[in-house]
Amino acid sequence: MEKNYFSHRLLVFLSSTSFMFIILGVINEILKIQVSSNSINIFTFVITFFSGIIFVLIQYLFVNEKSNAGVHIRFMIIYLLIILTAAFFIFGRKFNFLLLISLTFQYFISNRIHDLFLRHQIFIIHCEGKKGKALTEHLFRDNLFVKDLGISLKKTQTTLLILSFVSVISLIILLAWKARLTLYILLSFFIFFLSVFFICICIGFFSKEAFYASLGFTEIIRNKSKVLKSCFIILFISIILAFIFSSNSSLIDLSKFPKFAQKLETHYYNQNFIPPDPTPDLANDFRNQLAKLDTKEWISEEVMNMILKILKYILITVSGIFLIVKFFKPFFSLGWQRFWSESHLYKFFKAVINEISVFFRLIFLHEKKSDVNYSTVSSRNFLNSMQQVIKQSSKSKKKKIELDRLTKQFVKLIIFAEAHGYKYKKNLAPLEYTSMLTDSKLFNLTCANKAGCLFEKALYSKDILSKEEETQFVKNLKDAII
């Protein structure tokens, strides 16, 4: 099974950004007819383009950090506020607020398509190193990630179908308004459908991989590049033939749209219909009953208005404090501190640059760079054994989350150590493994053993480690490698 994640992210960027270019271009051309001016300036298109790149990188980063939905919402709020502030100082009141709506839709579309490639990436990781009967048994025991991939495949197909339909309808509306079909709209339309074409090919590959993996096969298509080239040639020939045989005729007769609009305008409803008056006797009885009611005020209107005003300010204050606390709370968490202390952002950009390098070497040099196998056999054995322990234990949900978090930290030490000959075995406890590290030139043996002790304490104790202990565990792991 091949892994080329940069090409996946490139497809996400092209599909989401080109679609927004189509929509913004169509709206701009229609508004030109209505208000005779450029309602959407070049700034909107530039921000849309660079936002597409930022959104793809952010989603990739959030996946690496295992972020939840709240992080996506916080990011979009902060990002839109930054765009709004910058645009206010540049354009003042001339800023088009349509950009904020389009960026929100762009992020949603990008995230929806990115989810497909994320689920496939998880599928590849689970199947890595397994084939034949071992792969079949693994997928039979643990098939939740396969179901997630299947659901994401269907959702992405639906999303692409809706986006394609909307883009075609947008062009039809543009032609019906007799607006100008500009070059950038046609180019965006072509790029969008080309990216959708390749995403659909990927969906076909992923479906085949999931099906044959359940039978124990890992190599479904030996050379995907040849298949992609063949598909591209077929698409190119189809486009050429379409221009040759359909250049003077259209699939939809747009001249009928104005006639249909005129028919709607000439259709009048019966305006002579007068609703019946209520029964006079019933109205008189109602007036008499109202006259008998005691209308004496038990509380003055000024006091009532003051009470309502106080309640309103209390509600606004409480809601504001709650939203502020919920919004800024993650920025003071242990995970946020680790993100900066462990240089996660630097490692992230380093991985992105490496992916881009591999992608272009594969295209132009026709060679595949040998990737460093970060997930070696020993580290995978440790991860698999810990996952089984966590899954089969009767510990609380918080305890399982803690063990999963500590395991992912401890495996970094194993990956470094096994590169220098210290192989992990399934029967070794964490402290037993750290006790094997005897080379003081490579390891700080005291910190390694302290980390092993804390890991075993978390593993065998019912209580969760304190924040200080977990911080000390991460620090010892970091200091253990010289």
Side-chain angles (χ1 to χ4, degrees), residues 374 376 378-379 410-424 433-434 436-439 442-443 445 448 480-481:
Y374 292 104
T376 56
S378 297
S379 60
F410 192 78
V411 78
K412 296 177 183 178
L413 178 63
I414 296 178
I415 292 172
F416 179 81
E418 66 184 1
H420 296 85
Y422 295 95
K423 301 299 181 182
Y424 171 80
Y433 180 74
T434 55
M436 291 171 53
L437 309 178
T438 56
D439 193 342
L442 292 172
F443 305 98
L445 305 179
I481 301 173

Side-chain angles (χ1 to χ4, degrees), residues 122-243:
I122 294 172
F123 171 79
I124 293 295
I125 292 172
H126 274 272
C127 297
E128 191 175 11
K130 302 179 183 67
K131 61 180 179 179
K133 188 177 179 181
L135 179 59
T136 305
E137 291 178 351
H138 176 69
L139 294 179
F140 180 77
R141 290 194 309 268
D142 187 8
N143 58 4
L144 184 60
F145 60 92
V146 182
K147 293 179 181 178
D148 291 339
L149 176 60
I151 294 171
S152 186
L153 285 169
K154 292 180 180 178
K155 287 184 177 180
T156 306
Q157 286 177 325
T158 304
T159 302
L160 294 178
L161 179 62
I162 294 172
L163 296 181
S164 302
F165 178 78
V166 171
S167 60
V168 171
I169 293 298
S170 300
L171 288 188
I172 292 174
I173 293 173
L174 186 65
L175 295 174
W177 278 80
K178 296 181 180 180
R180 190 164 57 97
L181 195 60
T182 57
L183 178 62
Y184 74 87
I185 293 178
L186 289 174
L187 184 61
S188 301
F189 191 79
F190 175 76
I191 293 174
F192 171 71
F193 274 95
L194 188 64
S195 60
V196 169
F197 175 74
F198 283 110
I199 292 174
C200 290
I201 293 175
C202 291
I203 290 174
F205 285 160
F206 298 165
S207 300
K208 292 289 184 183
E209 284 180 345
F211 173 74
Y212 284 104
S214 63
L215 302 177
F217 299 101
T218 54
E219 293 294 332
I220 312 304
I221 301 174
R222 290 186 178 275
N223 196 339
K224 289 184 180 179
S225 59
K226 289 185 178 179
V227 176
L228 291 175
K229 288 177 183 177
S230 301
C231 292
F232 186 78
I233 291 172
I234 294 171
L235 177 65
F236 181 75
I237 293 173
S238 301
I239 293 172
I240 296 298
L241 292 176
F243 274 109

